[in-house]
Amino acid sequence: MKQPLPLEGVRVLDISQVMAGPFACMLLGDLGADVIKIEPPGSGDQTRGAMGFKLKGADSLGFLNMNRNKRSIAVDLKTEAGKQVVLRLAKDADILVENYRPGAMRRLGLGYDVLKEVNPRLVYTSISGFGQTGPWADRPGFDLMAQAMSGVMSVTGYPDSPPVKCGVPVADIGCALFAVYATLAAYIGARNTGQGQYVDAALFDAAMAFSVWDICDYWGTGKPPQPLGTSNKMTAPYQAMAASDGHFVMGANNQKLWEKLCQLMRREDLLRDGRFATIALRLANRPALQDELEATFRTQPKDFWVELLLANGIPAGPILSYPEAFDSEHAAARGMKMEIEHPVEGRVNNIGFPVKLSATPQQVRRHPPLLGEHTREVLAEMGIGDEEFTRLRADGAFGA
């Protein structure tokens, strides 16, 4: 007998836009939760209109990759009628995720203080740039600001280069993942006690949580960490290296691998060089170490070195573009690119599930919703008939 998905029967209200909130809610939906996306009438989630190109319809490919397994209802939260719709939805919900500016939901009459009276077991998760408390709480928060103000940008790039942000939105995605872990923990607690709680997730906090090696280096030495390019502050050589036709990455990150590397490269002279005798000395003399190794690496193409190193147990790999990575045999074997059906786009590319469950694998049960596609369906499940629906619409619950 096929097992139900882990979160089957869990209802999530997704009152979020752009990335961290929608991505977190999609992960819950992938695991079986019934995710109801509550969007502003007319425009919907800002990401629907994002990116500099369009497919067949109005929704961006970015939106389609962060909102599968959801139903959409269009509700104007600024109207009393719209607020009443959300309050009724919250009564039977398990989780609510929102990412408005701190205090905005409270001003709308939909803060946790109100909703916990409606539903004491509700887990109410707020995602923001800098959290709900602290002197920066009222600042608009985006991934770029979180990377800059958390310290992430200070260690990204190369020494003496202009500021560089991480190429992927680490604060957004990191916050989404931390929010999911805390939300599910709170949900388990609510099932045990009948009492939900408030979850405060911030992009700033999430980005800072990634700083383990860097901040420990500072706390231990008193020296602020600096950008190292592709290098690593814990060991060397562990970085990108230049071959005759481009760069590859490799890591001889312990003494045994270092000795094997020198032998493979026929550079036993490096084993006798006092500058490179230990990891600490190799770290202290990293530029010279790179020069010595690249003098040999540049004599052969990158594929030669990757194959040689891997065949001898030394970690190495090519530097792939996103198209190359997603089209690789390994990405195909891992299911990291999939196509889903969409009523406007037809078959559309989606990023695959990032973790695999053996007994209850994630499923695409619903296409990314059209704006307001399920408004009538969801309200009917709440017991709202035609007459009441017409009254709510006349009162502006679903926009003009």
Side-chain angles (χ1 to χ4, degrees):
M1 182 177 177
K2 187 176 182 180
Q3 296 185 42
L5 290 174
L7 298 184
E8 187 172 316
V10 176
R11 172 161 285 191
V12 178
L13 304 184
D14 176 5
I15 313 181
S16 67
Q17 299 195 41
V18 188
M19 189 163 206
F23 190 82
C25 291
M26 183 182 72
L27 295 180
L28 298 174
D30 289 349
L31 291 168
D34 176 20
V35 180
I36 299 173
K37 187 173 180 69
I38 300 172
E39 303 186 69
S43 59
D45 184 332
Q46 296 175 35
T47 309
R48 288 185 182 273
M51 308 187 74
F53 64 92
K54 289 294 182 184
L55 301 177
K56 297 176 183 177
D59 295 337
S60 74
L61 193 53
F63 176 86
L64 300 182
N65 267 270
M66 289 185 285
N67 290 281
R68 62 178 176 247
N69 286 328
K70 301 180 184 182
R71 296 190 285 172
S72 169
I73 67 172
V75 178
D76 187 346
L77 303 183
K78 296 180 180 179
T79 66
E80 182 61 28
K83 184 177 79 171
Q84 292 304 316
V85 169
V86 174
L87 289 173
R88 288 174 67 172
L89 280 168
K91 184 177 180 180
D92 296 317
D94 299 287
I95 295 166
L96 182 150
V97 178
E98 63 91 9
N99 67 348
Y100 281 66
R101 290 274 289 273
M105 289 289 281
R106 185 174 62 253
R107 290 189 292 273
L108 291 170
L110 295 169
Y112 179 59
D113 57 336
V114 173
L115 269 64
K116 70 178 179 180
E117 299 299 324
V118 173
N119 180 358
R121 61 182 177 79
L122 181 69
V123 175
Y124 190 114
T125 299
S126 290
I127 294 175
S128 62
F130 297 95
Q132 304 298 310
T133 58
W136 297 346
D138 289 335
R139 295 191 181 198
F142 295 96
D143 181 85
L144 177 64
M145 288 72 198
Q147 286 198 36
M149 299 171 71
S150 65
V152 169
M153 284 179 64
S154 75
V155 296
T156 305
Y158 284 86
D160 302 319
S161 72
V164 178
K165 76 176 182 67
C166 184
V168 295
V170 291
D172 269 327
I173 297 298
C175 188
L177 298 178
F178 289 136
V180 167
Y181 120 86
T183 298
L184 289 178
Y187 168 72
I188 293 169
R191 290 192 63 181
N192 294 333
T193 66
Q195 295 297 314
Q197 60 179 297
Y198 187 76
V199 177
D200 176 1
L203 273 65
F204 175 76
D205 299 1
M208 292 190 78
F210 293 142
S211 71
V212 176
W213 294 124
D214 297 286
I215 195 60
C216 287
D217 189 34
Y218 171 66
W219 287 339
T221 67
K223 299 177 181 178
Q226 300 296 314
L228 296 172
T230 65
S231 300
N232 182 276
K233 65 176 68 273
M234 304 299 294
T235 190
Y238 185 91
Q239 63 191 91
M241 291 285 183
S244 64
D245 60 347
H247 288 79
F248 68 100
V249 293
M250 54 78 60
N253 54 336
N254 60 44
Q255 196 65 22
K256 181 179 178 180
L257 291 178
W258 164 246
E259 293 171 4
K260 182 180 287 189
L261 174 68
C262 293
Q263 292 162 1
L264 283 173
M265 298 176 69
R266 298 181 180 177
R267 290 296 307 272
E268 287 85 354
D269 60 300
L270 297 180
L271 296 175
R272 298 186 295 272
D273 192 320
R275 296 174 298 171
F276 312 131
T278 65
I279 291 176
L281 287 167
R282 292 194 289 278
L283 285 169
N285 295 285
R286 185 163 28 215
L289 174 65
Q290 181 174 350
D291 288 343
E292 290 287 356
L293 292 176
E294 287 189 337
T296 300
F297 283 142
R298 289 180 184 275
T299 64
Q300 297 287 348
K302 54 192 176 185
D303 287 348
F304 170 86
W305 292 113
V306 169
E307 292 172 10
L308 178 65
L309 297 182
L310 288 177
N312 287 274
I314 298 177
I319 300 172
L320 302 180
S321 66
Y322 273 128
E324 290 170 331
F326 274 88
D327 290 340
S328 68
E329 293 180 351
H330 191 72
R334 298 294 294 170
M336 287 311 299
K337 178 183 177 182
M338 61 184 179
E339 291 185 331
I340 62 176
E341 294 290 346
H342 188 270
V344 175
E345 304 296 345
R347 295 185 67 81
V348 63
N349 288 332
N350 249 225
I351 299 172
F353 304 119
V355 292
K356 281 68 177 172
L357 282 72
S358 63
T360 57
Q362 301 97 314
Q363 299 172 16
V364 177
R365 297 170 292 109
R366 293 181 178 276
H367 61 260
L370 305 177
L371 176 59
E373 180 179 353
H374 305 96
T375 301
R376 194 69 189 89
E377 173 184 302
V378 171
L379 268 60
E381 293 173 0
M382 297 165 55
I384 295 177
D386 292 341
E387 183 177 341
E388 187 176 5
F389 180 81
T390 300
R391 179 180 59 77
L392 287 167
R393 183 169 57 189
D395 290 342
F398 314 118

